[in-house]
């Protein structure tokens, strides 16, 4: 049986191990094991049927030593404080490893948006923003989309915050619609970053994209973009899944047709899609398929001590935050499976969010080509640094990524000192 999963302790274990490897004393890293600020709010919403339902929401700022807190807002029926705490910490180290001037933050509301109308989601969003408004802003904490939220929700956040401040404040949030100051390419940025990391690791390992197979868990924004781009690069995507289950074909799936079906109508899921030459499988079966590249792009704790021994991929590229537990990491290492960790693999979203924020606060506009080139440059530089350090130290890529990230966070904290 898998051990009880605690996402925040998962992060802390990795951070402490990296800090000790770097030679830091406990007093140097103790502060970053504790989030700087945690806000829990009750969010009353008038539902469409006239009843009032109170939702529980959170906004957590893990670290602002390197800049304003940055991180998404998640609407999901299994959101809890510890999960949001872990997600905020992952953002701290994600921003540090790619060296953009942000700290880490995260938000969440315990709800099921699939069971709510657009009006209810809008009302929930506006009230939630009103409740967390005292601690967010372009200079303090900048939210973004995450599981269960999208550009429209970000637009409502921007409008609500602007109404409270009395003037338009586009820089309070990223991932907005283009018409409201969003950045071109932001919606695809995380999936694009995942694909860039896939191509980079294949090159390092001497593997050809056109001779490689991929399995992708999760067909949300990140997974569907990665599936589309991998397909365009000639990688054969043999299985994909969503919350309802997966589709599998050893000859390769028709990715454009699958994406068209999933986006054609709200509520469409893979369990209702029947295509010639494919079969339906569970998410558990999908993770254990033989393949060259496995992309877990759903939720945390997908690869754990209960299934790690059965993973048959050559390479895992983490599209989701925290999909692999510490215990599973050790098992995968013994099996010789290369893991490109989440804090580098899915950093494309926060990198382009940074571009959006810079454009907003400077009132400038950049082209899609410029943004894509900058994304490739920053992510490529970060990936090369992580890979080189892993080779130099003889450690896994996750360890190398955290060695870089933890050093930057601790050094910033030490240089600033403890106030007063």
């Amino acid at each position: 049986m898998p051990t009880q999963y605690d996402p925040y302790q998962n992060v802390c274990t990795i951070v402490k191990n990296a800090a000790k490897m770097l030679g830091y004393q406990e007093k140097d890293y103790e502060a970053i094991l504790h989030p700087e600020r945690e806000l829990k709010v009750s969010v009353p919403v008038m539902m469409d049927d006239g009843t009032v339902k109170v939702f529980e929401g959170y906004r957590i700022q893990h670290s602002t030593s390197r800049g304003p807190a940055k991180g998404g807002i998640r609407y999901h029926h299994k959101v809890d404080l510890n999960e949001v705490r872990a997600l905020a910490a992952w953002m701290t180290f994600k921003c540090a490893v790619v060296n953009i001037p942000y700290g880490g933050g995260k938000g969440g509301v315990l709800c099921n948006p699939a069971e709510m109308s657009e009006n209810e989601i809008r009302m929930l969003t506006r009230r939630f923003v009103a409740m967390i408004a005292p601690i967010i802003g372009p200079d303090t904490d900048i939210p973004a989309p995450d599981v269960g939220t999208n550009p429209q929700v970000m637009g409502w956040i921007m409008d609500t915050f602007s109404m409270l401040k009395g003037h338009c404040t586009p820089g309070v949030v990223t991932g907005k619609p283009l018409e409201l100051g969003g950045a071109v390419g932001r919606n695809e940025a995380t999936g694009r970053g995942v694909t860039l990391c896939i191509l980079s690791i294949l090159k390092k390992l001497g593997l050809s994209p056109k001779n490689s197979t991929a399995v992708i868990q999760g067909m949300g924004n990140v997974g569907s973009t990665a599936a589309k781009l991998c397909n365009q690069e000639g990688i054969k995507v043999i299985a994909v899944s969503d919350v309802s289950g997966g589709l599998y074909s050893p000859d390769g799936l028709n990715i454009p047709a699958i994406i068209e079906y999933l986006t054609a109508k709200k509520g469409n899921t893979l369990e209702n899609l029947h295509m010639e030459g494919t079969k339906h499988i569970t998410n558990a079966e999908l993770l254990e398929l033989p393949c060259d590249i496995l992309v877990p792009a759903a939720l945390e704790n997908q690869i754990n001590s209960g299934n790690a021994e059965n993973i048959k991929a050559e390479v895992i590229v983490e599209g989701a935050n925290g999909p692999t537990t510490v215990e599973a990491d050790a098992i995968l290492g013994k099996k010789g499976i290369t893991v490109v960790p989440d804090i580098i693999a899915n950093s494309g979203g926060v990198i382009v969010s940074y571009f959006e924020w810079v454009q907003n606060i400077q009132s400038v506009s950049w082209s899609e080509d410029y943004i894509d080139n900058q994304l490739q440059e920053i992510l490529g530089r970060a990936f090369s640094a992580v890979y080189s350090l892993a080779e130099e130290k003889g450690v896994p890529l996750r360890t190398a990524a955290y060695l870089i990230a933890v050093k930057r966070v601790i050094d910033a904290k030490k240089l600033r000192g403890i106030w007063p």
Side-chain angles (χ1 to χ4, degrees):
M1 288 289 292
T3 56
Q4 183 66 34
Y5 178 64
D6 184 329
Y8 193 67
Q9 287 309 310
N10 204 75
V11 182
C12 289
T13 297
I14 297 170
V15 171
K16 285 189 282 189
N17 289 341
K20 290 173 183 176
M21 287 182 67
L22 290 163
Y24 290 110
Q25 299 178 38
E26 188 174 344
K27 66 178 182 179
D28 297 324
Y29 62 82
E30 178 64 25
I32 66 172
L33 300 178
H34 304 270
E36 293 177 359
R37 181 179 287 110
E38 299 184 352
L39 178 61
K40 177 182 174 183
V41 297
S42 297
V43 188
V45 176
M46 180 71 76
M47 307 299 282
D48 291 344
D49 63 4
T51 62
V52 173
K53 186 171 181 179
V54 180
F55 297 89
E56 191 167 278
Y58 313 97
R59 187 67 190 179
I60 294 178
Q61 297 164 355
H62 173 260
S63 171
T64 57
S65 293
R66 301 184 67 254
K70 186 79 186 79
I73 290 177
R74 174 173 293 192
Y75 289 175
H76 195 266
H77 64 282
K78 290 187 178 180
V79 163
D80 63 48
L81 185 61
N82 217 33
E83 177 191 58
V84 179
R85 191 180 284 134
L87 290 164
W90 279 316
M91 286 302 302
T92 294
F93 301 109
K94 187 182 302 183
C95 293
V97 76
V98 296
N99 206 20
I100 54 177
Y102 282 144
K106 207 74 177 188
V109 178
L110 183 61
C111 68
N112 188 349
E115 297 177 353
M116 299 170 67
S117 69
E118 182 178 287
N119 177 64
E120 290 171 337
I121 295 172
R122 182 176 66 251
M123 299 293 283
L124 169 70
T125 300
R126 290 192 183 280
R127 184 59 186 242
F128 178 59
V129 173
M131 300 297 287
I132 68 171
I135 68 168
I136 66 171
D139 300 318
T140 53
D141 184 353
I142 306 105
D146 197 78
V147 175
T149 59
N150 56 29
Q152 175 61 81
V153 173
M154 298 306 107
W156 292 330
I157 293 175
M158 189 274 277
D159 180 70
T160 306
F161 188 85
S162 297
M163 292 299 101
L164 293 171
K165 293 299 179 181
H167 57 86
C168 188
T169 313
V172 68
V173 68
T174 59
K176 304 180 294 296
L178 293 177
E179 296 85 351
L180 298 179
V184 287
R186 171 58 186 88
N187 200 45
E188 301 83 16
T190 307
R192 187 175 297 280
V194 169
T195 307
L196 290 171
C197 285
I198 289 172
L199 296 175
S200 295
I201 194 64
L202 288 178
K203 184 176 181 180
K204 293 290 187 182
L205 298 177
L207 301 173
S208 166
K210 297 191 186 312
N211 295 324
S212 300
T213 57
V215 167
I216 298 175
Q217 182 201 32
M219 281 295 280
N221 178 47
V222 177
S224 61
T225 300
K228 179 180 72 174
L229 296 177
C230 282
N231 184 66
Q232 290 175 359
E233 292 290 339
I235 297 171
K236 185 191 293 183
V237 181
I238 61 172
V240 298
S241 69
D242 61 15
V243 68
S244 71
L247 284 179
Y248 167 63
S249 170
D251 296 324
L253 296 169
N254 186 338
I255 295 301
I258 291 173
I259 293 175
E260 182 180 358
Y261 169 78
L262 291 175
T263 56
K265 180 183 176 183
K266 182 179 179 180
N268 278 359
T269 57
L270 291 175
E271 67 179 343
N272 297 317
L273 177 58
H274 301 278
M275 306 178 75
E276 187 177 352
T278 69
K279 74 172 184 175
H280 289 270
I281 59 174
T282 66
N283 267 288
E285 291 170 330
L286 176 137
L287 290 171
E288 298 176 5
L289 287 172
C291 61
D292 296 307
I293 308 143
L294 172 62
V295 182
L299 295 171
E300 308 85 45
N301 191 27
Q302 298 301 297
I303 301 174
N304 49 58
S305 58
N307 63 2
E309 286 285 1
N310 300 324
I311 302 297
K312 302 176 185 67
E314 296 291 324
V315 177
I316 296 172
V317 180
E318 296 181 333
N321 292 306
T324 310
T325 67
V326 171
E327 296 83 3
D329 240 355
I331 295 170
L332 297 175
K334 289 178 182 177
K335 288 168 63 71
I337 297 173
T338 300
V339 180
V340 182
D342 48 3
I343 64 168
I344 183 76
N346 68 30
S347 63
V350 74
I351 292 171
V352 177
S353 277
Y354 169 62
F355 299 157
E356 180 177 335
W357 176 73
V358 169
Q359 291 175 88
N360 291 161
I361 62 176
Q362 294 185 353
S363 297
V364 296
S365 181
W366 297 343
S367 70
E368 187 167 7
D369 284 345
Y370 180 79
I371 288 174
D372 282 348
N373 288 336
Q374 288 292 103
L375 170 61
Q376 290 185 47
E377 181 179 335
I378 290 177
L379 188 52
R381 184 166 60 240
F383 182 90
S384 293
V386 168
Y387 194 88
S388 295
L389 185 61
E391 284 198 314
E392 177 190 331
K393 300 288 187 182
V395 297
L397 294 176
R398 191 185 313 279
T399 301
Y402 273 92
L403 288 174
I404 292 171
V406 168
K407 184 178 191 308
R408 285 173 177 162
V409 175
I410 292 178
D411 287 354
K413 188 73 175 176
K414 290 178 70 175
L415 287 168
R416 292 180 60 155
I418 296 177
W419 189 89

